[in-house]
């Protein structure tokens, strides 16, 4: 994946798999009216993952190469 990934949705779910390890990513996750398997904030990581969703769930998995 690129150095920075941004995912945004409204009235729907965000789901999928990112090729790489969870430890590689600093994460910022904002969710309203839904559930997420990601932490709200994770500062360690040399890549960035930003996820925002309103009225939907977030389910992101990481898969090592």
């Amino acid at each position: 994946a690129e150095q920075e990934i941004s995912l945004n949705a409204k009235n729907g779910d965000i789901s999928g798999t990112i090729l790489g390890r969870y430890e590689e990513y600093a994460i910022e996750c904002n969710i309203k009216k839904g559930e997420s398997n990601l932490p709200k904030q994770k500062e360690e990581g040399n890549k960035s993952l930003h996820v925002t969703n309103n009225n939907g769930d977030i389910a992101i998995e990481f898969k090592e190469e």
Side-chain angles (χ1 to χ4, degrees):
E2 298 293 323
Q3 288 297 102
E4 183 172 335
I5 299 172
S6 294
L7 304 169
N8 301 296
K10 185 174 181 180
N11 298 322
D13 296 336
I14 297 175
S15 64
T17 302
I18 294 175
L19 189 58
R21 296 177 327 179
Y22 174 81
E23 294 79 17
E24 294 178 295
Y25 288 88
I27 298 171
E28 182 179 332
C29 179
N30 299 304
I31 189 166
K32 295 180 183 177
K33 298 181 185 176
E35 296 182 8
S36 175
N37 70 330
L38 297 175
K40 287 185 178 189
Q41 189 84 22
K42 177 182 164 294
E43 295 184 11
E44 297 91 29
N46 58 352
K47 298 179 181 180
S48 298
L49 174 60
H50 304 279
V51 186
T52 303
N53 201 355
N54 188 358
N55 293 327
D57 296 333
I58 297 171
I60 301 293
E61 301 296 325
F62 294 87
K63 181 178 181 181
E64 290 191 43
E65 299 177 35

